[in-house]
Amino acid sequence: MKTTITRAELKQLLNKNNIMVIDVRGKEEYNENHIPFAGNLPIEIIEAGNFIPEPGKIIITACGKGGGRSERAAKYLRENSNNEVYFLDGGTFGWVENEN
């Protein structure tokens, strides 16, 4: 089963309205730098079960470098929802570095 999504794959999905990109880092890290269209929802909130994704949404999680927290959050959401969930390969830093 595919668990990651590349920057190129995410770009192809952006024109769809059923995509939700979530930065799972803390507020401070998010405020320093983030993907422009990503919302902020720290992993602690997700793992506490305080986020129920809208049915039918494709969820993409991101953290700093892609892996670690975003992978954990994606795994949790896959196991606890019926949504299609991936984590962004290369994370926020990979996205920002390649967009400038």
Side-chain angles (χ1 to χ4, degrees):
M1 170 168 58
K2 182 172 170 59
T3 58
T4 63
I5 191 167
T6 65
R7 211 170 35 82
E9 290 169 328
L10 176 55
K11 280 184 166 187
Q12 289 179 335
L13 291 176
L14 288 179
N15 60 353
K16 297 183 179 198
N17 58 7
N18 66 334
I19 281 284
M20 179 181 224
V21 179
I22 304 171
D23 190 318
V24 300
R25 299 174 300 154
K27 195 84 175 150
E28 226 171 76
E29 290 174 285
Y30 175 82
N31 288 340
E32 283 177 22
N33 204 355
H34 60 270
I35 298 168
F37 49 85
N40 182 225
L41 188 63
I43 189 167
E44 296 80 15
I45 292 171
I46 293 170
E47 290 182 332
N50 294 327
F51 170 66
I52 310 295
E54 186 181 321
K57 287 276 186 194
I58 298 171
I59 311 291
I60 313 297
T61 60
C63 61
K65 295 180 181 174
R69 289 175 283 179
S70 62
E71 185 174 3
R72 259 180 44 212
K75 182 177 188 284
Y76 179 89
L77 290 170
R78 266 194 306 280
E79 291 172 352
N80 293 282
S81 75
N82 291 320
N83 297 73
E84 201 175 324
V85 185
Y86 306 97
F87 69 94
L88 180 61
D89 186 34
T92 297
F93 301 150
W95 180 276
V96 172
E97 285 170 14
N98 289 291
E99 290 305 301
N100 294 331

